[in-house]
Amino acid sequence: MARNLIDIVDLTVEEIDELIAVAEDIIENPVKYQDACAHKQLATLFFEPSTRTRLSFESAMLGLGGSVLGFSAASSSSTAKGETVGDTVRTVGCYADIIAMRHPKEGAPIAAAQVCDTPIINAGDGGHCHPTQTLTDLLTIHREKGRLDNFTVGFCGDLKFGRTVHSLVNALSRYEGINFVFISPVELKLPRYVKEEALKKKGIPYTQTTDLESVMSDLDILYMTRVQRERFFNEEDYMRLKDSYILNPEKLVNAKPDLSILHPLPRVNEITVDVDKDPRAAYWRQVANGKYIRMALILKLLGIEV
Ligand code: CP
């Protein structure tokens, strides 16, 4: 049976640590890996828009000596003619060795995995989860801080629809000594099911607030997120909430000198461009890390050791 990555909890902590170690080795020794996936093909099936995830997957496979095929919009596939996700994925499984797919419907990658023997990677399913962004985030934290435990982590913005938040909370809850601070408008609070499964069952401490500046000085990591316009039921609510948090240099005055600022990107308005030159802004380094962790993941799911 194919090994898939649908949710971050499909990987053990040991496997995550191993992927991070491989990604760091790839960063140090890229030549060693340049032919590791020769004659292998990755298909990227993106039923929803993407810049970083799709292109970093493709860059990852090309960096491993493999090749890529796929589509970047449902409208350019036979989905537009009414084909089901299952039939599309089953078809692509005949042409590719591994599939990365993004879909607006929660659970679509699980449904796909049930009809396809080719490894499936969930590249984001609706407001549910985004495990390869989480691996990117963990690699970034590891490279910035040298560890993945004993931090106070603030998540700020759209914690309701932000699937990267749900996956990262799940992942970090498995490491020791993490305190969570959730900063959001009342309407965009972290879903109850994430709190129950990832935090309450394990007795992990967390606080919730609407005020970013009141908690800024406590944070070791600040994970900013975009308000997810595409998941709102009406434009009026989006317009009211979209600028709830705008991080700028003034708001960082009381932050720790070694704070790490992460953002899965794309950003809209929630971090001003002048924060980019602050050495604590790690989000452009995070973008670069996305390629290397996906290289490590492709190797793992294809069972290739270098
Ligand atoms: N972080 C992320 O998923 O970005 P894209 O939507 O550009 O892939």
Side-chain angles (χ1 to χ4, degrees), residues 46 49-54 102 123 130 133 163-164 264-266:
F46 277 62
S50 167
T51 297
R52 277 147 292 274
T53 309
R54 185 173 65 84
R102 170 173 289 187
H130 191 349
Q133 180 64 47
R163 58 192 173 195
T164 67
L265 304 184

Side-chain angles (χ1 to χ4, degrees), residues 63-199:
L64 292 167
S67 49
V68 297
L69 64 159
F71 54 81
S72 58
S75 58
S76 64
S77 75
S78 285
T79 306
K81 301 176 202 163
E83 186 169 59
T84 63
V85 177
D87 283 1
T88 301
V89 171
R90 196 167 173 177
T91 300
V92 176
C94 300
Y95 311 139
D97 299 289
I98 186 164
I99 295 171
M101 67 173 284
R102 170 173 289 187
H103 200 281
K105 286 219 172 90
E106 290 83 357
I110 299 176
Q114 283 165 357
V115 296
C116 183
D117 292 332
T118 304
I120 305 267
I121 302 171
N122 178 5
D125 61 329
H128 180 220
C129 61
H130 191 349
T132 64
Q133 180 64 47
T134 301
L135 291 172
T136 302
D137 301 338
L138 294 172
L139 173 61
T140 304
I141 295 170
H142 194 261
R143 284 174 65 73
E144 297 291 318
K145 300 285 192 195
R147 63 182 201 279
L148 289 173
D149 50 19
N150 296 299
F151 297 119
T152 297
V153 186
F155 290 86
C156 179
D158 183 351
L159 310 188
K160 179 179 180 184
F161 297 118
R163 58 192 173 195
T164 67
V165 172
H166 307 163
S167 292
L168 186 56
V169 169
N170 246 314
L172 285 173
S173 72
R174 295 196 277 163
Y175 289 86
E176 291 294 318
I178 305 288
N179 285 306
F180 293 90
V181 182
F182 300 115
I183 308 134
S184 73
V186 172
E187 295 92 329
L188 298 179
K189 277 162 66 172
L190 193 71
R192 185 178 299 185
Y193 82 89
V194 180
K195 281 185 273 198
E196 290 289 339
E197 289 301 315
L199 304 175

Side-chain angles (χ1 to χ4, degrees), residues 245-264:
Y245 303 98
I246 300 177
L247 185 67
N248 58 26
E250 293 72 47
K251 294 200 177 119
L252 285 165
V253 165
N254 293 323
K256 290 185 180 178
D258 63 347
L259 173 74
S260 290
I261 306 164
L262 274 67
H263 190 312

Side-chain angles (χ1 to χ4, degrees), residues 216-229:
M216 185 65 90
S217 62
D218 301 332
L219 305 179
D220 300 300
I221 295 164
L222 172 58
Y223 193 92
M224 294 295 296
T225 62
R226 167 179 73 92
V227 175
Q228 307 262 311
R229 181 180 208 155

